[in-house]
Amino acid sequence: MIVSGTAAAADTLPAIPRPRGEGPPAADPMEELAARLDGLVAAAVHPDEIAAVLESDGMTDEHIRLTYGRHDSFALAEELYARVPRSFPEPESTPDPWKASLTACLLRGVIFALPGLAYVLGAPLLEGPQDRLGLPAGTLTLLAGALIGWVWDQTLSHRAYSWLGLGDRAAAGRTLLVGAPAGSLLGTAAALAVPGGPPFSYAFAAGQALYVGAATVLLVLGRERVLLAALGPMAAGAALALFVDLPVPVRVALLVVSLLAACTLAVRELPLAEGLRAGARRIRGRVRPRPGGGPVRWRMLRGAEEEYGPRGPRLGDSVPYGVFGLGTGLLVLYAALGEVLAGGPAEAVAAPSAVALTLSMGPAEWLLYRFRSGSLAGLRAARSADAFRRRMLTTLTGCLAAYLTVLLALGLAGTLLWPGAPALTGLRAATLLLLGAVMWTGLLLQSFGAVRPAAVVCASAAVAQSVALLAGVGQPRLVQLVVAGAAASVLAALVCLLLGRATAHR
């Protein structure tokens, strides 16, 4: 019993500690956490980013104190930020959303300028005495219709493109179905309002207005090649007329064939049957008496989902695009006819400048895409706001210089090929380049949604030049140079101010 009692007493003694066996040391929780979050911690630019990740992972302050011995998530984040060296991995290669086909852009530029060949075919039918401004017969009639059509085309195109951007192609078709004929009527009315033109000039202006409406439909809906095919007979006839004196009936037939082809192809793209049914329903709804037409009318309250539901683009958002088109159209008009309108000789018509500006719209569009692509690449590669601004300015300078080079080459080529064109002197070339800078920077601001300041600048420049022309202030060439230079300077400043911020390129 004594032995057993002694053994029992011995069993109650604490165990004698023995040395631990050989094995790996216990892992440090901080090291495990740093290894697990290595990529996130290395790419963080501030400890608060890491704290946000820890909290989103479900780590409470109590868990952090018990597991890592730190007071809270911010203290733990600061230590992780100090422990892991900074490393900013390059983003994964993604397709360029602003990649555009140069061929497609050049095709659009050709389509913009190709209708000018219609004047070559119609020239014998527009013969007559010069008007009161010294311009060829019918010039003011055609210019009035073309300018109004250009303004309406810009407004209508923006509204249709807005519907396409919302994914509603049917609404875009309905917009074009109503807007294109209305624009044609406005263009024709503007031409008819100008007295003193040859009889054929009014018919030509009406055809011109119809073509602008049809071309707007086809270009907005992406049918450039179809429109090019429609212009084929007219373009071929104009090229032949440069070498052979075509009979008047042949000239008229070629013009009518191209016009009918463009209008027919445009009508095929429009929801004509649906539009007619919608118009009939609207007329029946207005004629049919509404229920509850007594002295007391009950109206259902509008629900929240109906109040704030998408309603499509607003009409007021498209107006600045029309103002921009009016301003740039007048500036191009003054570049071609400014000296003649100021009382100069008819030989001073600088038609090659207007043709060069029109043809250059194709390369201008492609260079706009290149700028968007380059600025996006700079946004990904820059490490600071200043670095991005420098990259943006470098890309901007390169694209603008490339566009002005193309514009100057087109102006020189047009001056050499156009019979009787005035020489492209240094003053004329400077004015052409400044006007090109105005148009390209204005289109650049427009592509970033800053159309209102661009429209205000271009419209103000057009008004200033109109006032100088009407008041007879200054020499026309010098006035054009000063106005274009001032507008280009203001637009360049706006581009640097508005597009120098990284948030504008998101």
Side-chain angles (χ1 to χ4, degrees):
M1 294 295 293
I2 297 175
V3 174
S4 59
T6 305
D11 290 338
T12 60
L13 293 175
I16 300 175
R18 294 179 174 85
R20 295 180 180 179
E22 297 294 332
D28 182 5
M30 283 293 296
E31 292 292 342
E32 291 182 351
L33 183 62
R36 182 162 65 90
L37 302 178
D38 179 72
L40 292 172
V41 175
V45 298
H46 194 275
D48 287 353
E49 293 186 41
I50 307 172
V53 173
L54 296 175
E55 292 176 357
S56 67
D57 200 33
M59 289 191 185
T60 63
D61 291 344
E62 182 181 1
H63 172 75
I64 291 172
R65 283 193 293 269
L66 292 176
T67 307
Y68 303 104
R70 306 300 185 274
H71 181 67
D72 54 19
S73 60
F74 292 98
L76 181 59
E78 289 179 358
E79 183 162 343
L80 288 172
Y81 186 81
R83 179 176 296 200
V84 178
R86 306 272 69 74
S87 175
F88 301 101
E90 291 294 331
E92 297 181 0
S93 59
T94 56
D96 186 0
W98 298 107
K99 185 177 181 180
S101 170
L102 177 59
T103 303
C105 293
L106 293 178
L107 177 63
R108 291 175 69 88
V110 171
I111 289 176
F112 292 152
L114 206 56
L117 294 177
Y119 298 101
V120 177
L121 281 178
L125 299 171
L126 297 172
E127 293 180 350
Q130 295 181 349
D131 58 21
R132 58 185 180 276
L133 297 178
L135 294 172
T139 301
L140 291 179
T141 303
L142 299 177
L143 287 178
L147 191 60
I148 296 301
W150 171 251
V151 173
W152 184 266
D153 166 62
Q154 294 292 300
T155 307
L156 177 63
S157 297
H158 172 261
R159 184 161 179 79
Y161 276 125
S162 299
W163 280 117
L164 291 176
L166 294 174
D168 196 342
R169 189 177 180 88
R174 292 192 297 270
T175 300
L176 294 170
L177 179 61
V178 176
S184 300
L185 291 176
L186 284 175
T188 304
L192 292 175
V194 179
F200 183 76
S201 65
Y202 298 105
F204 194 97
Q208 174 182 263
L210 288 173
Y211 170 79
V212 170
T216 301
V217 172
L218 295 174
L219 289 174
V220 169
L221 298 180
R223 298 294 187 265
E224 292 89 351
R225 298 182 185 277
V226 171
L227 180 57
L228 182 64
L231 292 173
M234 181 271 299
L240 184 62
L242 296 176
F243 305 98
V244 179
D245 186 13
L246 296 177
V248 171
V250 175
R251 292 172 180 265
V252 175
L254 290 172
L255 291 172
V256 171
V257 166
S258 287
L259 176 61
L260 290 179
C263 293
T264 303
L265 293 171
V267 170
R268 288 182 56 186
E269 298 292 334
L270 293 175
L272 186 58
E274 179 186 350
L276 292 176
R277 287 194 296 267
R281 287 194 300 268
R282 184 169 298 181
I283 293 174
R284 287 197 300 268
R286 290 181 178 179
V287 174
R288 185 182 305 167
R290 297 181 180 180
V296 179
R297 297 184 181 181
W298 296 93
R299 294 184 179 181
M300 183 178 294
L301 295 178
R302 180 177 293 173
E305 68 280 358
E306 188 178 351
E307 177 72 25
Y308 299 103
R311 300 185 180 183
R314 297 181 299 176
L315 285 172
D317 292 338
S318 301
V319 173
Y321 290 84
V323 176
F324 178 80
L326 176 62
T328 54
L330 285 174
L331 291 176
V332 173
L333 173 64
Y334 289 140
L337 303 175
E339 293 183 50
V340 180
L341 293 176
E347 292 77 13
V349 174
S353 297
V355 174
L357 287 167
T358 306
L359 279 173
S360 69
M361 288 297 100
E365 182 181 2
W366 185 75
L367 288 168
L368 290 175
Y369 281 108
R370 293 305 304 162
F371 175 81
R372 297 298 296 262
S373 177
S375 61
L376 182 60
L379 187 63
R380 292 172 176 170
R383 296 292 183 264
S384 66
D386 291 337
F388 168 74
R389 191 174 295 107
R390 288 192 297 271
R391 285 176 174 266
M392 187 278 296
L393 290 175
T394 301
T395 305
L396 174 65
T397 304
C399 291
L400 181 57
Y403 171 68
L404 295 181
T405 301
V406 172
L407 178 60
L408 181 60
L410 290 173
L412 290 172
T415 302
L416 293 175
L417 296 176
W418 196 281
L424 190 64
T425 61
L427 186 60
R428 289 181 185 273
T431 303
L432 176 63
L433 294 179
L434 287 173
L435 187 55
V438 168
M439 297 189 67
W440 194 83
T441 51
L443 291 173
L444 180 61
L445 289 172
Q446 179 177 307
S447 69
F448 278 88
V451 63
R452 285 178 173 82
V456 169
V457 173
C458 293
S460 300
V463 169
Q465 195 157 341
S466 300
V467 170
L469 179 65
L470 294 174
V473 177
Q475 204 274 339
R477 294 187 191 178
L478 188 59
V479 171
Q480 292 174 16
L481 180 67
V482 172
V483 171
S489 301
V490 174
L491 288 174
L494 287 173
V495 168
C496 295
L497 178 64
L498 299 178
L499 305 188
R501 300 173 297 180
T503 53
H505 301 261
R506 292 182 299 180

